[in-house]
Amino acid sequence: MVENENSLAGIWKDWRLHAIVLGIVIITELIGTFRIPVGPGVILLLPMLYALVIGLVLYFTPVVKEKQSKNAEPIIVLGVSLLLAKIGVIIGPALPEVIEAGPALLLQELGNLGTILLALPVAIWLGLKREAVGMTHSIGREPNVGLIMDKFGINSPEGRGVMAMYIFGTVFGAVFLGLIAGLLATLTPLSPLSFAMASGVGSGSMMAAASGSLVAAFPELESQIVAFAGASNLLSLSTGLWVSIFIGLPLTEKIYARMTRNKEGY
């Protein structure tokens, strides 16, 4: 108990870590957001992306020592916990909107289960072990990171898997959705509002990138696109964690166990 208290006290007294984080935040906020039009799509370069790149580069320099790297791990859990608390506060007032929403919005979260059916077999085929459970049980955004950390721990194979997907989604997710939403909306006969609904996967950066490209392609529908994308994202935040807890993660573990039964002696 005393050792844990001393360890926590050491984390909060690690002035170098806090100074590095504060410096990264200031730099990324000063850089701001860049919008790069690519045909009907838009690539958004967000401060979160700069922060990841700068932090990764600093890790390989003398500025960040092994002590700061280890001290940062429990702070990640704290940050995710605060974010989950914020999401919980959002869910309460949004319950009437969730009830009034149509079945398309309410059932959209089930579409994220496609990561299990499509990506899990590929991950196992590539030779990944329990990391595949964390990587494929969802799209790996903040609530899902919190779920895996709570159930398995950040240093577990599942924890490494979900964090890998979280970083990958942060770096490439907004770029991909920003491009694919605009391209599909202009190349297919489907309503751009359907793509606005599909952009709400539970990530603010991904939703902003997708809805931004849709607004650029259909400026006359800007207010409707923003409304549908925002409602969709809110519903994903409201229901996505429950879908992962009761459907996504159990289904992933069951499929993983069945597919690796011969390899691991199940």
Side-chain angles (χ1 to χ4, degrees):
M1 182 70 175
V2 175
E3 183 179 351
N4 290 337
E5 291 179 354
N6 292 335
S7 177
L8 290 173
I11 293 173
W12 295 116
K13 292 179 180 179
D14 190 349
W15 63 267
R16 179 189 288 269
L17 173 61
H18 300 304
I20 291 171
V21 172
L22 178 61
I24 292 175
V25 170
I26 293 174
I27 292 172
T28 54
E29 289 297 325
L30 289 175
I31 295 173
T33 302
F34 281 92
R35 301 168 61 91
I36 305 174
V38 180
V42 177
I43 296 177
L44 287 182
L45 301 181
L46 302 168
M48 184 185 299
L49 174 60
Y50 313 145
L52 278 171
V53 174
I54 294 173
L56 181 62
V57 171
L58 289 178
Y59 177 78
F60 296 100
T61 68
V63 175
V64 177
K65 302 183 182 298
E66 185 178 356
K67 176 184 177 182
Q68 280 73 55
S69 178
K70 290 183 177 180
N71 285 343
E73 290 183 3
I75 295 180
I76 293 175
V77 179
L78 176 62
V80 172
S81 300
L82 293 174
L83 184 60
L84 290 176
K86 179 183 177 182
I87 292 172
V89 173
I90 292 173
I91 291 174
L95 283 178
E97 299 175 27
V98 174
I99 295 173
E100 293 176 6
L105 280 175
L106 291 174
L107 297 176
Q108 61 149 354
E109 188 61 34
L110 295 177
N112 289 335
L113 298 180
T115 60
I116 304 169
L117 304 177
L118 298 176
L120 181 58
V122 175
I124 295 174
W125 177 72
L126 291 174
L128 294 172
K129 302 298 183 182
R130 293 290 301 180
E131 290 84 355
V133 174
M135 294 173 72
T136 64
H137 83 283
S138 68
I139 62 168
R141 303 321 298 160
E142 289 85 352
N144 309 108
V145 173
L147 171 62
I148 294 298
M149 286 183 179
D150 182 64
K151 185 173 178 63
F152 300 104
I154 188 173
N155 290 319
S156 65
E158 296 84 355
R160 292 193 294 270
V162 73
M163 283 306 301
M165 290 312 300
Y166 178 78
I167 295 172
F168 188 88
T170 300
V171 176
F172 298 105
V175 175
F176 175 78
L177 283 185
L179 287 174
I180 200 69
L183 290 173
L184 291 179
T186 53
L187 295 177
T188 66
L190 296 176
S191 169
L193 296 182
S194 65
F195 291 100
M197 292 168 57
S199 68
V201 296
S203 167
S205 59
M206 294 184 191
M207 183 206 70
S211 59
S213 65
L214 291 172
V215 168
F218 303 92
E220 70 279 4
L221 297 175
E222 178 177 359
S223 59
Q224 292 173 278
I225 289 172
V226 173
F228 272 83
S232 172
N233 203 57
L234 181 59
L235 285 168
S236 290
L237 290 174
S238 303
T239 61
L241 182 59
W242 302 109
V243 172
S244 294
I245 291 174
F246 295 112
I247 302 177
L249 188 55
L251 180 62
T252 305
E253 293 199 274
K254 182 171 291 187
I255 294 176
Y256 177 86
R258 183 175 294 274
M259 294 188 68
T260 58
R261 180 170 49 191
N262 295 332
K263 296 181 181 179
E264 298 184 1
Y266 278 63

